Amino acid sequence: MFLRPLPVRDPEGLLWVSNQTAEGRQDSLGWLDYLDLKESKGVFADMAAQSRRGGLLEGQAEAELVLLTVVSDNYFSVLGVEAARGRLFRADADAALGNEPAIVISDSLWRRRFGADPALVGRAIRMNSRAFTVVGVLPPEFRGLERSVRNDVWAPVSTWQAMGNRREFEQRGAGQFEVLARLRPGATIEQAQAQLDAITRRFQQDHPEAHRGRRLAAASEETRRSARGVRPS
């Protein structure tokens, strides 16, 4: 496999933040820890979170299992990705959708499942036995942050919570959310790690049960993917 730049704005300015165990395993973070990290600022301009799940699309066509990624509201703005059609997530507008919460879909899904229908944006589709409003379609070059994985649906945390999934948003320590941080211009990964070390000490003091023997660790996309055997193209 070959490493190519992420299909986002300034990929070199992004870092992954993991919850590292004493043995060096890179775990995801709990949602409450992500919220605290997001407020830390310093060398970080902003942080976003994602968690991959499954979704079952229903309707007139045959049911289709798709990869659904639950994301923080600021996910696409942190990545620098814009919608090709419609819009992306916006808390005020999404709240107004009520019982048909917001989702965004890939260009690939829009074409193969919905025939590239330009009128799809703003309409509801069925997934996991309930209705969701398609508020936007992403550009064809963006299919998620794993090139070997085809992601077709993105939902903001508010949509996932509206489906009754709330307990996972009360977690600290090892959780279900991968965290991406965007560095401020001129900031380095060494500075980022120093700030994360300071936050680790605070987490260990404030939440000892969740963070005992753990450390917040920063890694570039290149480091993260090279560790899995992905070579530069």
Side-chain angles (χ1 to χ4, degrees), residues 16 41 178 180 201 209:
W16 292 92
K41 303 304 180 186
E178 296 176 295
L180 269 167
R201 291 190 289 271
E209 290 300 319

Side-chain angles (χ1 to χ4, degrees), residues 120-174:
L120 180 67
V121 173
R123 293 203 328 236
I125 64 174
R126 292 197 64 81
M127 180 176 64
N128 292 359
S129 300
R130 69 169 297 162
F132 296 86
T133 302
V134 178
V135 300
V137 178
L138 292 170
E141 62 269 18
F142 186 84
R143 299 177 64 181
L145 299 180
E146 298 283 349
R147 288 195 175 273
S148 60
V149 177
R150 185 179 72 190
N151 202 118
D152 280 320
V153 181
W154 290 260
V157 163
S158 57
T159 290
W160 197 244
Q161 290 175 323
M163 296 171 64
N165 305 291
R166 295 187 176 274
R167 290 189 62 184
E168 64 196 81
F169 298 100
E170 301 169 358
Q171 292 179 330
R172 288 192 180 276

Side-chain angles (χ1 to χ4, degrees), residues 15-33:
L15 295 176
W16 292 92
V17 179
S18 66
N19 193 356
Q20 189 179 73
T21 67
E23 297 75 29
R25 187 180 71 246
Q26 309 295 325
D27 285 344
S28 298
L29 278 76
W31 179 253
L32 295 179
D33 291 332

Side-chain angles (χ1 to χ4, degrees), residues 166-219:
R166 295 187 176 274
R167 290 189 62 184
E168 64 196 81
F169 298 100
E170 301 169 358
Q171 292 179 330
R172 288 192 180 276
Q176 301 185 44
F177 286 89
E178 296 176 295
V179 173
L180 269 167
R182 183 165 288 284
L183 291 173
R184 294 189 185 279
T188 66
I189 189 171
E190 291 78 16
Q191 292 171 323
Q193 186 58 61
Q195 183 170 329
L196 291 174
D197 287 341
I199 297 171
T200 294
R201 291 190 289 271
R202 176 162 59 83
F203 278 5
Q204 290 174 341
Q205 180 177 351
D206 295 345
H207 313 287
E209 290 300 319
H211 290 280
R212 184 174 292 115
R214 291 181 175 272
R215 173 186 185 235
L216 297 171

